[in-house]
Amino acid sequence: MCVFCDIAAGKIPAQKVYEDENYLAFRDINPKAPVHILIIPKKHIEYLSDIDNSNKGTVADMAVIANKIAKKLGIDKSGYRVVINNGPDSGQEVFHLHMHLLGGKRMSFTT
Ligand code: AMP
Ligand code: ZN
């Protein structure tokens, strides 16, 4: 279906840092920070904009997982950034909902 579905199905290898029945987290292949993890639902959802009242728990679960991973990787005190890209102007490249977890350095881009 897509590259992240293939990772979730174990067809493409990934450096996993977290897994449960419904979610998976693994290291970004092209890290933008010392810690750069992608958190995905195993179920294929293309966009953040596909999130509505029926599935909004997915994003909350992903935030909880991001916090757990930040603690496990020791960036909970130094801080971290989570990013979800949605659509062309965001630069979204993989059309399977994912949350970036970035940390381990001071972020240069401020909003
Ligand atoms: P986005 O621009 O939000 O769609 O981000 C997609 C991210 O997926 C990029 O940071 C890529 O480096 C990353 N990526 C693409 N393919 C893989 C892969 N096979 N394993 C790990 N990360 C990947
Ligand atoms: Zn997918």
Side-chain angles (χ1 to χ4, degrees):
M1 205 178 201
C2 81
V3 62
F4 288 176
C5 282
D6 284 347
I7 288 174
K11 291 183 196 160
I12 293 180
Q15 280 186 273
K16 295 179 187 176
V17 296
Y18 176 91
E19 183 165 17
D20 65 26
E21 195 186 341
N22 299 312
Y23 300 93
L24 181 65
F26 51 90
R27 292 190 187 274
D28 195 293
I29 206 168
N30 181 21
K32 304 287 193 304
V35 174
H36 188 170
I37 306 297
L38 301 173
I39 300 148
I40 64 164
K42 289 183 175 176
K43 178 181 153 69
H44 183 85
I45 298 172
E46 275 186 55
Y47 293 104
L48 179 67
S49 56
D50 293 325
I51 296 293
D52 58 22
N53 278 325
S54 72
N55 59 4
K56 64 187 177 188
T58 302
V59 176
D61 289 344
M62 290 164 77
V64 172
I65 291 165
N67 293 339
K68 276 187 193 161
I69 295 169
K71 210 165 195 174
K72 183 173 155 184
L73 299 184
I75 56 164
D76 53 321
K77 301 286 193 297
S78 50
Y80 47 98
R81 177 174 289 177
V82 297
V83 174
I84 299 177
N85 290 320
N86 187 86
D89 276 358
S90 73
Q92 184 179 359
E93 287 173 357
V94 176
F95 300 98
H96 179 131
L97 177 64
H98 54 281
M99 180 181 277
H100 296 257
L101 167 65
L102 297 145
K105 71 164 190 182
R106 185 61 69 109
M107 299 297 146
S108 54
F109 178 82
T110 52
T111 50

